[in-house]
Amino acid sequence: KRLISLGRLDPVKQFDLLIEAFATVHGDHRDWTLEIWGEGQEKNRLFRLIQKLGMEKNIFLRGFTDNITPVLASGHCFCLPSRSEIFGLALGEAMAHGLPSVGFASTTGVNQLKTKEKNGLLAEETSAAGLATCLRTLFSSAELRATIGAEARKTAELYCPELLLEQWDSLLRQSAGVKRETVEPLDEYTLAYARLQDYLARDNPLSPEALQKALAKIHRSRTWRCIMWLRKIRSRLNILKRFKKTS
């Protein structure tokens, strides 16, 4: 069984506490391994800690991946031990995959997504011992993992793009005092669509299938909501393109 964690290897992420917590409970749950995905300044220090605890065969620093979906799909639990988060994107993705998760009750961005003992476990004590208690609880019960995982998936659905964009659409229309039926497509639609199609033809760092599905939605209905979809896709493409140039 796999416990998954991911994020940049930075002191604020507190992966050292997770490593210590996992080492504490592993003696009673030897069929579990811990995989930490990400790169950063803490990598060497974390690896030395793993060696010190004698956990080289059970805790793995997997490095960077640009496709986290199969990683989460292969996991059984998730842990985000961060000291602070603006919004736990990694946690949200794990919850969307139905993974029961563990985090600290004091961490903003984690405690906002999770309801204690319903869609995840929150350690009251910000320490390795606090995490270990929660991990031991999840490792000991497949039934509890399934129940919490199902609730986590329901919570993640509240943040799906379709629902959020619909809410933004409603808010913007309400603020502008405009009815849905009277709004015409923005003039930038055609140009933006052409630019995106050109980008896809030249260099596409994302899944072609996923992008073509999104483009099909836009092509079928030139509404304000779909234009917002287009802007979201373009923004993500530009970010990934800049990252690709600097990596």
Side-chain angles (χ1 to χ4, degrees):
K1 300 182 181 72
R2 294 187 180 91
L3 171 63
I4 305 295
S5 191
L6 61 98
R8 71 183 187 279
L9 306 185
D10 186 90
V12 73
K13 299 298 184 179
Q14 302 188 136
F15 286 118
D16 54 338
L17 297 185
L18 174 56
I19 290 170
E20 292 172 3
F22 183 84
T24 299
V25 304
H26 186 259
D28 296 324
H29 301 279
R30 295 188 177 278
D31 56 336
W32 284 82
T33 59
L34 167 59
E35 295 184 4
I36 299 175
W37 291 80
E39 292 285 352
Q41 60 180 320
E42 288 276 280
K43 185 173 184 177
N44 291 335
R45 189 178 78 85
L46 294 175
F47 184 70
R48 289 195 297 270
L49 177 59
I50 293 169
Q51 289 181 315
K52 179 181 177 181
L53 296 171
M55 298 295 290
E56 299 98 316
K57 296 182 178 180
N58 309 106
I59 301 178
F60 305 97
L61 301 179
R62 295 300 195 191
F64 172 79
T65 178
D66 59 0
N67 185 11
I68 201 62
T69 297
V71 174
L72 294 174
S74 68
H76 298 85
C77 286
F78 183 83
C79 182
L80 187 64
S82 302
R83 184 186 310 126
S84 64
E85 291 282 345
I86 297 175
F87 183 87
L89 292 176
L91 176 60
E93 289 193 52
M95 294 173 74
H97 280 78
L99 291 183
S101 58
V102 174
F104 289 120
S106 60
T107 302
T108 304
V110 173
N111 55 26
Q112 292 173 327
L113 275 174
K114 294 200 292 187
T115 302
K116 185 179 179 183
E117 297 182 359
K118 183 178 180 182
N119 60 2
L121 298 185
L122 293 171
E124 295 296 338
E125 181 183 332
T126 307
S127 65
L131 275 185
T133 299
C134 292
L135 292 177
R136 187 176 287 109
T137 299
L138 281 182
F139 289 179
S140 300
S141 175
E143 182 179 357
L144 179 62
R145 294 197 300 272
T147 299
I148 290 179
E151 290 297 325
R153 193 186 298 274
K154 291 179 183 178
T155 299
E157 289 174 356
L158 299 176
Y159 297 89
C160 70
E162 294 87 348
L163 180 58
L164 293 179
L165 288 172
E166 188 66 34
Q167 291 173 349
W168 272 108
D169 177 58
S170 177
L171 176 62
L172 290 171
R173 290 176 182 278
Q174 184 180 16
S175 300
V178 178
K179 293 182 178 180
R180 180 180 298 274
E181 297 77 21
T182 64
V183 174
E184 296 296 327
L186 297 181
D187 292 338
E188 70 166 330
Y189 173 87
T190 302
L191 178 60
Y193 187 89
R195 285 177 175 173
L196 181 55
Q197 287 284 31
D198 179 62
Y199 180 81
L200 290 175
R202 290 184 292 104
D203 183 16
N204 178 18
L206 297 179
S207 162
E209 295 79 9
L211 285 170
Q212 288 303 329
K213 286 181 180 179
L215 288 172
K217 287 184 179 181
I218 298 168
H219 189 69
R220 285 195 298 268
S221 179
R222 296 185 178 186
T223 64
W224 175 252
R225 182 173 66 86
C226 287
I227 291 171
M228 290 180 70
W229 258 106
L230 177 61
R231 287 174 172 170
K232 180 180 177 68
I233 296 169
R234 288 171 60 202
S235 175
R236 189 176 181 195
L237 285 169
N238 289 334
I239 291 172
L240 287 171
K241 191 174 182 180
R242 287 198 298 271
F243 175 79
K244 192 172 182 180
K245 287 182 178 180
T246 58
S247 61

